[in-house]
Amino acid sequence: MKNPSNSSRRNFLKTSIAAPVAIAGAATGANAAPDKAEPDAVIPRRKLGRNGPEVTMVTIGGSMEAHSPQYLDLAWRNGIRSFDTSPNYLNGISERNVGGWNSKFKERRKELFLVTKEPAPGGPEEMISNINRRLDLCQTEYIDLLFMHGIGVGRHGKESVNWPKSDRFRKVVEKLKESGKAKLIGFSCHDDELLTYMNNAAEGGFLDAIMIKYNPFFEKGDAFDQAVQRVYDAGIGLICMKEMRPYAKAPKTSPEMEQVGLTTQQAVLHKVWSDKRISAICSMMENVSQIEENCNAARIFKKSLPAKQAKALQEIAMLNPVMMCPGCPSCREGAIHTDLAFSDISRYLTYYEQNGDATARERYRKLSAAQRMSSGADLAALREGCQYKVDYPEIIKRAEQYFG
């Protein structure tokens, strides 16, 4: 969860636990055992697809500036048992941090669900050729879940939409599992063709998990809901990401959220967990307060977010400037009619402005001329059609200023 406020721990809900708070400064000390989280710090788990294990409902992301072996230890002591990383995060330092943690706490490895990714620009086979690199950097003998990172038409070509049901990808999955170096295989996806990738994965039936940009306010029975259901019915686990982007500048609380004892950001998490098809949320927690807030949200989750609070969340998102749509149908429809990679560009700009991610410029410049050419796209129509009213004209203008 991303929340720009570094608010004091005193601002937390009264239900926040005290034990993990106290160890922030002690986690790296000479007497920093025990390995187990305090009983009150245990986070609920959900099963990841048909073949996966039960995973904690919160996974800590790997791209925030605070990321370090000590920071991961703090997440562990708060009850998180799933770490997410990638060679693309922090210029490779993220995986090295995970490796440092694994090296220091070897006895914990069997309890950790470790997720890393392989960009594989040349295709699925690079997941095999680079797996030893992933293992070396993470200092482990196996990866619990290996994703093809950011599968998409822009990075991998139009033919990649069929990879999730292809013999080509299936053989890669089989070889990786036979080697014992990766237990589960899947992909993450931000692409406008997400639904096609998901539907093809459900048809293929050989992948274990997908990480998706998730819009918790989809309409029952719409194309997104149907794709999620097909994937779920195929036994493929679903991990949510980017759910907090529309709330980066949202107020910490509101009268509606106070009625149910949640912060705005906790309510977003509860709205996602209300969908039982989602196994876990991968959350970018940038400080100790956010770790505590995320973990406490998971502990107190008992039932779906009430309709009144869900409606208020939608209204809050609409009232605050949103830089990156979490995936509404109109944006996907708009992508069919233009080569402009407007959703990718909005994502890069978000990473640059909100996260200070300098690699966003490189990603933008790797787009083709057609993908960056805005003259043929009706940006105003994209904005008006977007459920979150993402200001695409302004986004494209600023991206050209920053990255052009």
Side-chain angles (χ1 to χ4, degrees):
M1 176 178 69
K2 183 175 175 61
N3 172 14
S5 172
N6 291 324
S7 59
S8 166
R9 293 173 189 162
R10 295 190 184 91
N11 293 331
F12 277 173
L13 301 176
K14 294 179 180 180
T15 49
S16 295
I17 62 170
V21 177
I23 55 80
T28 59
N31 299 317
D35 297 329
K36 301 288 186 181
E38 295 293 331
D40 290 342
V42 173
I43 293 177
R45 297 172 183 253
R46 287 183 174 179
K47 188 170 178 59
L48 183 66
R50 183 178 298 131
N51 300 318
E54 290 191 338
V55 296
T56 49
M57 291 165 60
V58 179
T59 293
I60 187 167
S63 61
M64 53 280 191
E65 290 184 8
H67 200 270
S68 67
Q70 294 79 13
Y71 196 68
L72 293 173
D73 185 46
L74 180 60
W76 176 273
R77 289 168 179 274
N78 272 268
I80 294 175
R81 292 295 182 268
S82 180
F83 297 168
D84 180 276
T85 185
S86 167
N88 284 6
Y89 299 157
L90 306 176
N91 291 318
I93 296 174
S94 180
E95 280 190 321
R96 294 181 186 277
N97 287 337
V98 170
W101 186 91
N102 275 330
S103 178
K104 184 174 182 179
F105 301 108
K106 294 183 176 65
E107 71 283 359
R108 297 179 181 175
R109 178 64 185 92
K110 62 183 180 294
E111 293 185 51
L112 176 69
F113 187 78
L114 176 57
V115 183
T116 192
K117 308 178 185 74
E118 174 55 50
E125 294 78 12
E126 291 186 2
M127 299 177 75
I128 297 175
S129 59
N130 292 332
I131 185 62
N132 288 338
R133 177 69 172 164
R134 307 278 69 77
L135 298 177
D136 289 345
L137 289 173
C138 292
Q139 295 194 42
T140 183
E141 295 180 353
Y142 64 92
I143 303 299
D144 292 282
L145 172 57
L146 178 65
F147 280 133
M148 175 178 281
H149 195 172
I151 192 171
V153 173
R155 174 179 288 176
H156 299 105
K158 292 182 179 180
E159 71 279 2
S160 65
V161 297
N162 293 314
W163 286 352
K165 63 178 182 180
S166 68
D167 287 339
R168 179 183 180 184
F169 204 168
R170 184 193 300 270
K171 290 176 181 178
V172 167
V173 170
E174 291 172 350
K175 289 181 179 179
L176 282 167
K177 289 185 175 182
E178 288 171 0
S179 72
K181 296 178 179 180
K183 293 186 176 182
L184 303 173
I185 315 294
F187 62 81
S188 64
C189 184
H190 310 90
D191 197 81
D192 292 322
E193 290 286 348
L194 170 63
L195 301 190
T196 305
Y197 286 105
M198 291 175 67
N199 287 327
N200 284 341
E203 181 179 341
F206 57 82
L207 294 173
D208 301 292
I210 303 175
M211 179 180 280
I212 60 171
K213 185 170 71 171
Y214 182 85
N215 176 7
F217 298 108
F218 60 84
E219 293 185 12
K220 191 71 174 177
D222 70 8
F224 178 79
D225 181 41
Q226 291 180 36
V228 169
Q229 190 63 43
R230 290 189 190 103
V231 167
Y232 180 79
D233 290 343
I236 300 172
L238 284 163
I239 299 175
C240 167
M241 62 175 172
K242 304 291 190 295
E243 78 295 331
M244 206 60 66
R245 291 295 183 179
Y247 300 90
K249 297 183 179 180
K252 187 70 175 177
T253 188
S254 69
E256 292 83 2
M257 304 316 157
E258 289 175 353
Q259 290 174 7
V260 291
L262 299 172
T263 66
T264 301
Q265 288 74 25
Q266 286 179 321
V268 175
L269 299 176
H270 278 220
K271 177 58 178 171
V272 175
W273 287 322
S274 298
D275 188 341
K276 296 181 179 180
R277 300 170 298 184
I278 300 297
S279 298
I281 296 173
C282 182
S283 186
M284 192 175 76
M285 296 169 259
E286 295 191 333
N287 53 54
V288 177
S289 294
Q290 289 179 15
I291 290 178
E292 294 166 355
E293 190 176 8
N294 275 256
C295 292
N296 193 55
R299 291 185 200 101
I300 63 178
F301 177 80
K302 302 299 181 185
K303 59 184 179 180
S304 297
L305 187 72
K308 179 180 179 181
Q309 281 68 35
K311 181 179 179 181
L313 276 182
Q314 282 186 288
E315 293 173 350
I316 289 171
M318 295 292 292
L319 290 172
N320 290 275
V322 177
M323 291 303 299
M324 186 176 75
C325 181
C328 65
S330 62
C331 294
R332 290 193 294 269
E333 178 66 23
I336 299 173
H337 303 292
T338 178
D339 290 329
L340 176 67
F342 59 87
S343 60
D344 284 333
I345 293 172
S346 69
R347 180 161 54 94
Y348 301 157
L349 185 66
T350 301
Y351 291 168
Y352 185 76
E353 291 190 336
Q354 292 186 6
N355 304 352
D357 185 354
T359 66
R361 180 181 289 107
E362 299 173 22
R363 300 185 198 188
Y364 176 84
R365 291 180 176 177
K366 286 182 179 178
L367 295 173
S368 68
Q371 290 173 316
R372 286 182 284 167
M373 185 66 66
S374 61
S375 59
D378 190 341
L379 298 176
L382 285 171
R383 177 185 59 207
E384 295 309 308
C386 179
Q387 179 179 339
Y388 293 91
K389 295 296 184 285
V390 174
D391 193 351
Y392 287 112
E394 178 64 20
I395 287 172
I396 299 303
K397 175 184 176 183
R398 279 160 42 189
E400 291 172 348
Q401 291 174 340
Y402 289 144
F403 309 143

